[in-house]
Amino acid sequence: NTFVPAQVTSYLTNPKLETISSDSDSFVAENENDDTGLTSNQNRLLYLIDLHTKKAEDREGSDRWVRKQALSVLIYEGVVAGIFDYDYAPQSALIENRRVWINISQEGQSDIEFLREEELVNALILSSKSFKPVVLYQVSDNGSELLSRVGRNEKEIVNSFAHKPNSRELLTTAWDGKSFWLQSSSGYRKRSTTTDTEDVSYVCSAYIPHCLRYGGRPTLSNAHRAHECGQPGLDSIRDNNLEEIITLNSVSIIVAEYIPFGANQIVQLNNNVGSTERVQGGYISNIVDGDSSGTAIELSPELTAVEILDYTQTNHINFEASIRFREDAGVVQVETFGISLNAEGTCFYGMQLEAVMNRIKDNISLDHLSRILVDVQQDSSSIVDSVISQYQRDLLELVFIGDAPNRNKINLIIANEITPHLTASEYMDRGEYENEFKQVIGDTKAAYDISEQDSLIFGSQGLLVCGPRARDHEPLLCGYLQFNTLDIFLH
């Protein structure tokens, strides 16, 4: 995405132009077969949009536009089929008032924005029944003219996955409340795996910022178990060609949310987890015992072990939670959360990554980190729902319209080092660096150099702080999370 708008315009006005000026020889080589000035991915994406859109032939006709969400699903299917050379990562999205984890290609979204900037694609914004904005796309007149110069081979590659096998019936997307389906007019249906989040093997230890601690013993480390996730093939990632642009060293993750609390709820919570007993903690579960006078009960072995770190009777509690949930075959996940709950309602769930796949402590890929964040958000809901009161669970169900287990949270990622180390303005390149950050903190909003070695990047779903003195700012960052979690809850 390094060429300028004038170059595409020159192609539209001069079809016989055979080459374009570029500082990169590889750029010319990549585009010498198609007289468009776009990359192969952009040519195919533009053609895919064209298949699903149509301009009205007269005033009595109607335009056809493709929705952004549907296009995201089609792009993902194209990545899995090898049509697009993009990466993808799970991201929380609101679909018909239900929050769903869906695999989205940030590179694909970036190319759509580029095509819009070049006026090859038009955008339309409508409102849904729930008054949420809906973005739709349509190929413009300039885009249609450009497509006339896209090679036949490129179009046939897109046709091979955009249509029903061995036919010219176009596949459209449909949502059934749980999954997306690709379907044709003749009744052919195929379930899309875009809502199937992928797992990676990792080992983590509990982490609670010092500003949230009030005495008690330090959290325990699982560093001695880092080797357990180092075997090859211990993941379920379907994309075998993940492109790693940015890596982090010594990574801590804090996920935060707001849950209505108060002094009375903290007292009850301390009683629930046994803070005041001689032997504190134990296993917890959100299963309701329907026969409490009986002799025994049979439960799933997927339990959570709790160990109290420190507490005050009416104000807060900090504890470690080791979860033992079933994972996909071959995936190893050693998960221990550091959980801090307070009477103000802010809940912090923290972990220190000891190893991810075969990488111990350092060189952590943002592609892998995005998949870990899904686990953290989902598992943290299961843990806290096991210890809060039924009244609090009912409030969450009311506020999140019956979808409390999938409620949104905000991410804080702290790393001692980032590679490559660049300035904030260089990270906000509207290209590969921003696309990497979007995988873990959502749409990037701003980036700042808080020192010569420390950087801060804000996103719609969290923030990333990296540098040798990043942890010095934890009190301020935790205060920022408190306000943001309350904002998410109120929205």
Side-chain angles (χ1 to χ4, degrees):
N1 297 351
T2 56
F3 50 91
V4 297
Q7 291 172 300
V8 173
T9 304
S10 67
Y11 270 82
L12 295 174
T13 58
N14 188 3
K16 295 182 180 181
L17 192 61
E18 295 181 357
T19 60
I20 63 174
S21 59
S22 173
D23 294 332
S24 171
D25 293 336
S26 62
F27 176 84
V28 176
E30 184 180 5
N31 296 281
E32 60 186 3
N33 296 325
D34 292 305
D35 194 18
T36 63
L38 301 178
T39 66
S40 179
N41 281 328
Q42 290 164 351
N43 282 332
R44 295 175 184 182
L45 180 57
L46 186 62
Y47 180 62
L48 177 63
I49 297 174
D50 184 63
L51 288 175
H52 289 270
T53 61
K54 184 186 70 172
K55 278 186 170 292
E57 297 180 359
D58 51 50
R59 290 188 176 182
E60 296 182 357
S62 59
D63 285 342
R64 184 168 68 239
W65 300 71
V66 62
R67 293 180 178 87
K68 179 180 179 180
Q69 184 62 71
L71 186 57
S72 296
V73 175
L74 294 171
I75 291 174
Y76 163 80
E77 291 294 328
V79 174
V80 174
I83 306 301
F84 296 112
D85 185 21
Y86 294 143
D87 286 347
Y88 62 83
Q91 191 172 30
S92 179
L94 200 61
I95 303 175
E96 295 186 357
N97 285 330
R98 182 168 179 257
R99 190 156 291 280
V100 178
W101 288 100
I102 182 170
N103 292 311
I104 293 177
S105 171
Q106 296 297 342
E107 293 170 305
Q109 299 298 321
S110 179
D111 273 352
I112 292 174
E113 296 303 316
F114 175 81
L115 294 174
R116 287 187 60 192
E117 290 174 345
E118 295 298 315
E119 298 182 354
L120 302 175
V121 169
N122 297 325
L124 172 67
I125 301 177
L126 302 177
S127 293
S128 67
K129 292 184 293 184
S130 56
F131 306 104
K132 302 293 183 183
V134 179
V135 181
L136 304 97
Y137 300 116
Q138 181 189 67
V139 173
S140 67
D141 291 335
N142 287 344
S144 297
E145 186 177 351
L146 200 73
L147 281 171
S148 66
R149 291 193 287 280
V150 173
R152 187 179 206 177
N153 182 54
E154 290 285 87
K155 293 182 178 180
E156 286 304 315
I157 290 174
V158 176
N159 287 329
S160 67
F161 97 96
H163 295 85
K164 174 185 173 182
N166 302 318
S167 77
R168 285 301 186 190
E169 292 182 21
L170 189 64
L171 295 177
T172 59
T173 64
W175 172 252
D176 67 356
K178 295 182 179 179
S179 303
F180 277 101
W181 292 78
L182 303 179
Q183 59 186 23
S184 70
S185 56
S186 64
Y188 170 84
R189 296 190 82 202
K190 172 190 172 185
R191 182 182 175 276
S192 172
T193 56
T194 188
T195 54
D196 296 343
T197 55
E198 301 161 335
D199 289 323
V200 297
S201 296
Y202 63 93
V203 175
C204 68
S205 303
Y207 179 78
I208 300 177
H210 291 297
C211 60
L212 301 177
R213 294 300 307 273
Y214 297 87
R217 69 165 177 82
T219 56
L220 300 179
S221 173
N222 287 325
H224 62 286
R225 302 185 61 182
H227 65 280
E228 295 183 21
C229 68
Q231 301 299 320
L234 297 184
D235 66 67
S236 60
I237 297 178
R238 292 178 284 276
D239 186 357
N240 296 322
N241 297 309
L242 289 178
E243 186 178 2
E244 298 179 1
I245 307 298
I246 295 174
T247 59
L248 305 176
N249 293 347
S250 188
V251 181
S252 300
I253 299 171
I254 300 174
V255 172
E257 68 171 335
Y258 175 83
I259 295 178
F261 262 99
N264 291 336
Q265 280 73 33
I266 291 293
V267 171
Q268 184 61 48
L269 176 59
N270 278 309
N271 290 333
N272 290 347
V273 298
S275 300
T276 58
E277 298 179 4
R278 177 177 176 180
V279 180
Q280 297 176 323
Y283 290 99
I284 58 173
S285 172
N286 60 357
I287 300 299
V288 176
D289 189 355
D291 185 21
S292 57
S293 61
T295 304
I297 186 173
E298 292 187 4
L299 294 174
S300 166
E302 295 186 348
L303 301 174
T304 301
V306 169
E307 292 192 26
I308 310 302
L309 298 175
D310 59 86
Y311 75 99
T312 52
Q313 190 70 33
T314 60
N315 190 51
H316 89 285
I317 179 173
N318 291 324
F319 60 92
E320 288 180 339
S322 299
I323 65 175
R324 299 167 185 179
F325 296 160
R326 187 178 294 110
E327 304 295 344
D328 292 341
V331 176
V332 176
Q333 295 183 351
V334 180
E335 292 181 273
T336 304
F337 285 84
I339 298 180
S340 178
L341 311 177
N342 57 55
E344 287 75 33
T346 311
C347 307
F348 298 92
Y349 316 101
M351 59 168 57
Q352 173 73 35
L353 292 181
E354 306 293 353
V356 179
M357 306 295 285
N358 60 349
R359 304 177 186 185
I360 297 179
K361 201 76 172 178
D362 296 337
N363 198 30
I364 306 301
S365 161
L366 293 190
D367 296 282
H368 291 156
L369 188 58
S370 66
R371 287 149 175 93
I372 294 173
L373 286 170
V374 177
D375 273 340
V376 176
Q377 294 226 7
Q378 293 177 334
D379 294 344
S380 60
S381 293
S382 299
I383 293 172
V384 77
D385 288 353
S386 301
V387 298
I388 61 177
S389 67
Q390 183 61 45
Y391 175 68
Q392 289 170 297
R393 289 195 287 269
D394 290 341
L395 281 177
L396 291 176
E397 287 293 330
L398 175 65
V399 170
F400 292 99
I401 319 177
D403 197 33
N406 298 312
R407 58 189 181 269
N408 203 16
K409 304 182 180 74
I410 187 167
N411 303 321
L412 168 61
I413 302 167
I414 305 175
N416 289 357
E417 186 178 358
I418 184 172
T419 305
H421 176 66
L422 304 173
T423 63
S425 59
E426 289 173 318
Y427 284 133
M428 301 294 285
D429 65 340
R430 304 178 73 181
E432 59 183 10
Y433 292 127
E434 271 198 76
N435 291 337
E436 284 282 288
F437 289 129
K438 287 178 181 179
Q439 294 183 121
V440 293
I441 59 173
D443 292 336
T444 49
K445 296 181 177 179
Y448 302 95
D449 294 316
I450 51 181
S451 75
E452 289 186 358
Q453 295 179 306
D454 302 295
S455 300
L456 170 62
I457 299 99
F458 285 89
S460 60
Q461 297 177 6
L463 61 161
L464 169 65
V465 190
C466 48
R469 305 200 60 175
R471 299 176 195 277
D472 295 346
H473 306 286
E474 282 182 344
L476 181 61
L477 295 171
C478 289
Y480 175 81
L481 292 183
Q482 280 190 292
F483 285 105
N484 270 267
T485 54
L486 184 57
D487 182 63
I488 291 173
F489 184 84
L490 293 176
H491 277 79

